[in-house]
Amino acid sequence: MLSLRLTSFTHLLSPPSSAAIARRSRAILRRRHHLRKRPLAASFSAQSATAETQDRVNNSKNRVPEQVITPRSQDFNAWYLDVIANAELADYGPVRGTMVIRPYGYAIWEAIQEYLNVKFKETGHSNMYFPQFIPYSFIEKEASHVEGFSPELALVTIGGGKELEEKLVVRPTSETIVNHMFTQWIHSYRDLPLLINQWANVTRWEMRTKPFVRTLEFLWQEGHTAHASPEEAEDEAIQMIDIYTRFAYEQAAIPVITGRKSKVETFAGACKTYTIEAMMGDKKALQAGTSHNLGQNFSRAFGTQFTDENGIREHVWQTSWAISTRFVGGIIMTHGDDAGLILPPKIAPIQVVIVPIWKKDEEKAAVLNAALTVKDVLQKSGIKVKLDDSDQRTPGWKFNFWEMKGVPLRIEIGPRDVASGSVVISRRDIPGKQGKVFGISMEPSNLEAYVKDKLDEIQSSLLERAIAFRDSNIVDVSTYNDLKAAISEGKWARGPWSASDEDELKVKEETGATIRCYPFEQPKGIKTCLMTGNPAEEVAIFAKSY
């Protein structure tokens, strides 16, 4: 039996970074969870879509009832929870604050893993695994680390029915146990650089939770590296945040701002923290990935040393970097609309869904044969496709179900389409008749080329839309009053900053906003700090966050 308890460091408790997570989120999700099957099954129109043009264009009668998914503009948090429930991404676990990631939600995480795994290995990193139980004494070795993590630690005090001689920490992050092992593996400069990564779960005892964004347990990858010089460690930290940036733009279609965290916001135990910050649909910031230059902080605490080429003993320089299932939440909140998810094609578990349509039994065989042929053509070309040939639901129900799950393209095939050798294709990102095209040839090369082109268009369109939204909600400010006004309007504030840590904490206390980062891309010219009026070398971005 394992006995878990929180640490007694109550004096270190601090509120989570999100200042406005709705307290009733659990009740909302649970209420909608037990309702969701009935509205999805019963409230959709039973009228199926036919090959008739007007029926297909005028599909509003088959839309998801408004009470199933709360409009984003009405209550963004309720909308987010509704989408997670109705799109079958996750559910609450029996332990408060935990979540069960359902197959469709996990498939999105797998797409993230597949891309990053390739990039990590291309840059010389190897996957391995460390235990999730860490001796508490390890956590205590690095002072700022234990101070930063104590409020979130879960401890094991009993094992096998007996009180443990030393309490164990359930992994909140692995810098300490990694250093314990690095000390045994690293002896000479010939052992460096040491570049490893692990895909694992971590536990952080959050006070307030939100599925995917903030839960007691979540999944992530955490990279850990050791180097022979501070320059190598800095290059590594920058390299990895660049990989995260490319992933966000190229795969998730999320235009992040990449930069350096302030001293106040730097990871506990790091010298520098680099971050990618994404603007969600409610204009809050989401820290979507981080890369830390740890310097020699942990190697000194653990005695992780090597003998250099001159025979001198040195402590190694280190980095750590991570991205988590929080990114799934970021994808939902960046692209989704009132009908549910909108998934960028490059990370969508299903890129194309085929919905066959027939009214009479004698039409069924020909329609299904055509649908199977189309599926085979697309699958052979590497497209992730699903044929929804179930008899239990109407085509209208299917349209809305797959729209809710964010499938980028829908192909409709009815008797008239079979006769004409064509299909109807609808884009998820363009609702209504504007996103529907009739008469696309079933001829394999034509269909394959058209579908691939449209998937590329959707990927680009989602990124362009997100960039426009982000840029229209960032305000350049030159005074503290300007900053407060921008934050009060729900926007991000960008302005010159060289003030103290105390001033930064004052901004957080008075506005609820924090410095998200000092962007890598900085304007040229002389700058004046918006708070003190003193010269400033950099602009910072302030925003409320999750």
Side-chain angles (χ1 to χ4, degrees):
M1 180 182 71
L2 297 180
S3 175
L4 294 178
R5 67 178 179 84
L6 294 179
T7 72
S8 59
F9 290 83
T10 55
H11 64 290
L12 295 173
L13 282 171
S14 59
S17 59
S18 173
I21 296 175
R23 295 182 180 180
R24 60 191 183 92
S25 59
R26 281 180 55 83
I28 292 171
L29 184 55
R30 283 183 167 167
R31 183 173 73 247
R32 286 187 161 80
H33 168 68
H34 84 263
L35 289 174
R36 72 173 181 266
K37 291 298 183 183
R38 183 168 51 83
L40 284 173
S43 298
F44 280 40
S45 170
Q47 180 178 344
S48 64
T50 70
E52 295 298 327
T53 301
Q54 189 56 39
D55 282 349
R56 286 190 171 168
V57 169
N58 184 18
N59 196 33
S60 60
K61 64 177 74 69
N62 291 316
R63 293 289 168 197
V64 179
E66 288 186 3
Q67 64 267 28
V68 174
I69 296 183
T70 304
R72 288 201 337 164
S73 59
Q74 177 181 314
D75 186 332
F76 191 86
N77 187 65
W79 166 84
Y80 176 75
L81 298 175
D82 288 343
V83 170
I84 288 174
N86 286 284
E88 301 176 336
L89 299 175
D91 213 334
Y92 280 105
V95 176
R96 184 178 180 183
T98 63
M99 69 171 176
V100 176
I101 304 176
R102 301 186 67 179
Y104 197 67
Y106 196 84
I108 298 172
W109 177 237
E110 284 181 314
I112 296 172
Q113 286 180 301
E114 287 167 8
Y115 175 89
L116 291 177
N117 234 346
V118 170
K119 297 302 178 184
F120 295 161
K121 291 175 181 178
E122 285 177 352
T123 48
H125 303 84
S126 299
N127 285 335
M128 60 179 301
Y129 185 78
F130 292 88
Q132 69 171 341
F133 295 126
I134 301 171
Y136 187 76
S137 58
F138 285 14
I139 303 291
E140 292 180 302
K141 284 188 177 183
E142 212 288 327
S144 61
H145 197 64
V146 67
E147 182 176 347
F149 276 100
S150 285
E152 300 177 348
L153 297 182
L155 302 180
V156 180
T157 59
I158 296 175
K162 297 180 180 179
E163 188 83 19
L164 298 178
E165 291 184 8
E166 179 179 0
K167 54 193 174 185
L168 305 176
V169 175
V170 184
R171 173 176 53 220
T173 182
S174 298
E175 280 77 9
T176 58
I177 194 169
V178 165
N179 264 272
H180 175 78
M181 301 309 301
F182 276 11
T183 299
Q184 300 177 47
W185 299 337
I186 297 171
H187 306 288
S188 161
Y189 69 92
R190 296 182 183 87
D191 299 320
L192 298 173
L194 183 52
L195 313 173
I196 62 96
N197 174 68
Q198 75 166 343
W199 295 91
N201 62 333
V202 293
T203 299
R204 296 180 183 177
W205 213 272
E206 300 282 359
M207 296 299 104
R208 290 176 288 179
T209 58
K210 186 183 185 77
F212 289 112
V213 174
R214 192 178 298 279
T215 50
L216 263 63
E217 179 189 7
F218 55 89
L219 305 180
W220 73 352
Q221 58 75 209
E222 52 176 320
H224 298 273
T225 68
H227 304 269
S229 72
E231 292 80 12
E232 284 185 21
E234 178 68 4
D235 289 346
E236 170 76 4
I238 295 295
Q239 172 184 247
M240 302 320 293
I241 203 66
D242 285 347
I243 286 175
Y244 292 157
T245 301
R246 289 202 301 274
F247 164 74
Y249 273 90
E250 297 172 7
Q251 302 292 307
I254 296 178
V256 295
I257 292 179
T258 309
R260 187 186 79 256
K261 285 287 190 183
S262 68
K263 181 180 176 182
V264 170
E265 296 292 323
T266 293
F267 175 74
C271 298
K272 296 179 184 176
T273 289
Y274 301 107
T275 181
I276 53 173
E277 299 289 325
M279 182 182 288
M280 301 294 95
D282 60 353
K283 303 174 204 169
K284 286 185 181 177
L286 184 78
Q287 179 180 291
T290 51
S291 180
H292 314 291
N293 184 337
L294 303 176
Q296 294 178 313
N297 292 340
F298 285 90
S299 63
R300 289 185 183 280
F302 282 81
T304 314
Q305 295 180 293
F306 71 103
T307 302
D308 69 13
E309 295 182 39
N310 299 315
I312 298 172
R313 295 290 285 172
E314 289 265 19
H315 290 93
V316 299
W317 284 264
Q318 293 178 265
T319 76
S320 64
W321 27 274
I323 206 168
S324 76
T325 40
R326 160 178 280 222
F327 217 104
V328 178
I331 292 165
I332 299 167
M333 291 190 285
T334 299
H335 301 302
D337 63 12
D338 286 353
L341 282 175
I342 298 179
L343 293 176
K346 288 187 178 180
I347 58 169
I350 301 168
Q351 295 171 311
V352 178
V353 62
I354 302 170
V355 179
I357 302 166
W358 68 87
K359 279 189 173 182
K360 302 173 184 177
D361 289 342
E362 56 266 29
E363 298 171 336
K364 180 177 180 180
V367 169
L368 286 180
N369 284 337
L372 285 167
T373 298
V374 168
K375 177 186 178 184
D376 186 57
V377 166
L378 297 179
Q379 276 189 331
K380 286 180 178 178
S381 68
I383 295 168
K384 293 178 281 189
V385 59
K386 178 177 177 60
L387 170 60
D388 188 347
D389 57 357
S390 58
D391 290 330
Q392 293 81 11
R393 305 294 188 190
T394 67
W397 189 96
K398 294 175 184 179
F399 291 175
N400 289 278
F401 179 72
W402 294 112
E403 283 181 7
M404 189 185 305
K405 293 176 85 74
V407 176
L409 282 180
R410 180 178 73 243
I411 294 179
E412 305 163 21
I413 305 176
R416 291 191 182 184
D417 302 307
V418 174
S420 64
S422 65
V423 298
V424 178
I425 296 183
S426 293
R427 288 174 56 158
R428 174 64 181 88
D429 63 320
I430 304 178
K433 62 182 180 181
Q434 290 83 5
K436 190 182 287 279
V437 180
F438 297 83
I440 305 302
S441 173
M442 285 188 199
E443 197 279 321
S445 61
N446 288 344
L447 182 62
E448 176 187 337
Y450 184 89
V451 168
K452 286 185 174 180
D453 182 61
K454 290 304 164 188
L455 291 174
D456 288 342
E457 278 188 26
I458 293 169
Q459 186 78 28
S460 298
S461 175
L462 290 176
L463 177 59
E464 290 168 5
R465 185 187 302 178
I467 290 173
F469 178 80
R470 180 199 65 184
D471 291 351
S472 66
N473 286 291
I474 298 178
V475 178
D476 286 305
V477 299
S478 58
T479 69
Y480 186 37
N481 285 336
D482 289 345
L483 183 151
K484 288 190 285 188
I487 298 300
S488 69
E489 294 173 6
K491 297 179 182 289
W492 291 18
R494 179 174 52 203
W497 185 263
S498 61
S500 66
D501 295 348
E502 290 74 20
D503 286 328
E504 184 177 341
L505 293 171
K506 175 184 176 182
V507 173
K508 181 176 182 179
E509 181 180 348
E510 294 183 356
T511 71
T514 55
I515 291 181
R516 302 317 305 159
C517 69
Y518 296 97
F520 285 166
E521 294 185 7
Q522 288 283 332
K524 296 180 181 179
I526 300 173
K527 294 176 278 291
T528 301
C529 178
L530 66 89
M531 178 68 84
T532 66
N534 296 326
E537 295 183 356
E538 298 176 292
V539 298
I541 289 183
F542 292 80
K544 293 183 178 179
S545 66
Y546 282 102

